[in-house]
Amino acid sequence: MLSAKSLFQEILDNDESFALFCSIAAGGEAQGGWENARIAALVPASERDLAPKITRHGADEDKHGRIFNALMRKRGLDPVPVPPETDYTMLLERAGIGLAHDRLERDEPLTVRDVVVHLAHSRVTEQRAAEQMELLRRHFADHPDLGRAVRMISRDEDAHLAYCHEELLRLARAGHGRTIRRTLRECALAEIRVYRDVSLSVMAHMGGLLHWPKAKSAALAAGIHAVYAYERLGGRRRMVSLRTPERRNALGGPAESAPEFA
């Protein structure tokens, strides 16, 4: 029987598939760290109070990248090239979601609208990240090698999501509600499409490494398409709603270090 736990256990047990999984994850986290660092440096004067939180977000992402690389080192593995079709962050940028890298590479202050776009993009992608890490935490929180890493990253992703909710609600009260709603919808529609495509590509690569039979690969692909259909029909609403988080000021302090992983 196919299950999320059994599939990930297969990936975990094989060095090649585990190295690919960690390399994809580490690359995405490192990219998120760079983006947040640049945004923090360029926020407009009216939003300077937000800069430390964006910096903290970026530091967390950098830490997660180091953790995934450390997990590979612990197994005596080296990072492997990330196939372009599995690069979630790059594909989102190509879809026009978030702030373009050429914009972030210029030393020009961002606008408040740019900050809104960034936070809306983060709101959608952090929802996905929090859900994925919650799934891993549910099944592998007590794993001797992965457990501590999974718990730490999951806790951080929950904090990132709470921060996005809180800041977007603040900006909505300041008069940006219409822009926020429109941007969240655009980001969610693009994200579910990119997530589907990346999921199909990742599963195809994993299937090749693990020699999955065609029937198994077909069943997994059908499941991915079913998730996309559900999200396209309305399941994405969880990505665009805003609510006051239970945890307030979730990124109000320094990033938690992870010396045992770094």
Side-chain angles (χ1 to χ4, degrees):
M1 178 180 176
L2 293 178
S3 69
K5 183 176 183 179
S6 65
L7 287 172
F8 191 78
Q9 191 67 58
E10 282 190 71
I11 293 169
L12 172 63
D13 290 343
N14 179 279
D15 283 348
E16 288 183 285
S17 58
F18 185 69
L20 178 59
F21 169 81
C22 288
S23 296
I24 291 171
E29 297 286 1
Q31 189 61 58
W34 178 84
E35 290 173 358
N36 277 279
R38 289 301 300 156
I39 291 165
L42 299 174
V43 292
S46 62
E47 294 294 328
R48 289 309 302 174
D49 289 346
L50 193 58
K53 296 180 182 181
I54 300 174
T55 298
R56 160 73 186 275
H57 190 179
D60 282 345
E61 304 287 5
D62 283 335
K63 177 183 69 179
H64 299 168
R66 295 195 303 274
I67 288 173
F68 283 113
N69 281 315
L71 290 171
M72 283 188 282
R73 287 197 303 273
K74 189 173 183 179
R75 291 259 294 257
L77 303 173
D78 293 321
V80 299
V82 175
E85 64 273 16
T86 68
D87 192 330
Y88 175 77
T89 53
M90 179 189 71
L91 293 173
L92 282 175
E93 185 194 2
R94 286 183 179 176
I97 300 305
L99 299 177
H101 286 184
D102 62 353
R103 175 68 180 87
L104 296 180
E105 288 167 352
R106 300 197 302 269
D107 289 325
E108 299 175 8
L110 301 173
T111 65
V112 175
R113 185 185 180 283
D114 289 331
V115 172
V116 168
V117 167
H118 164 65
L119 287 170
H121 166 247
S122 295
R123 156 73 185 98
V124 171
T125 56
E126 292 297 339
Q127 179 77 40
R128 184 74 72 186
E131 290 172 355
Q132 290 180 322
M133 291 311 303
E134 168 58 26
L135 179 66
L136 289 178
R137 183 171 61 182
R138 191 183 315 144
H139 295 304
F140 296 97
D142 297 325
H143 191 279
D145 296 323
L146 288 182
R148 182 166 176 78
V150 165
R151 294 193 303 273
M152 178 178 287
I153 296 173
S154 181
R155 186 166 61 247
D156 287 346
E157 300 297 5
D158 289 344
H160 299 167
L161 186 57
Y163 141 80
C164 291
H165 277 278
E166 187 171 21
E167 296 302 331
L168 285 170
L169 285 170
R170 176 182 64 82
L171 288 163
R173 290 192 295 270
H176 300 282
R178 182 175 297 179
T179 300
I180 290 169
R181 286 192 297 273
R182 183 180 67 251
T183 307
L184 282 172
R185 182 179 182 278
E186 292 171 354
C187 286
L189 286 170
E191 194 279 341
I192 63 174
R193 185 171 60 251
V194 168
Y195 181 72
R196 175 202 61 191
D197 294 344
V198 167
S199 297
L200 290 169
S201 296
V202 170
M203 286 299 103
H205 282 281
M206 293 300 178
L209 293 173
L210 297 169
H211 308 293
W212 286 341
K214 289 183 179 180
K216 182 173 182 176
S217 295
L220 288 171
I224 292 168
H225 284 294
V227 169
Y228 172 73
Y230 161 74
E231 293 187 330
R232 189 71 177 80
L233 290 171
R236 67 183 184 279
R237 291 193 186 96
R238 73 192 191 286
M239 296 178 165
V240 300
S241 62
L242 293 175
R243 64 183 185 279
T244 301
E246 293 182 10
R247 182 177 177 185
R248 306 297 295 273
N249 196 31
L251 297 188
E256 179 185 358
S257 63
E260 68 272 32
F261 294 114

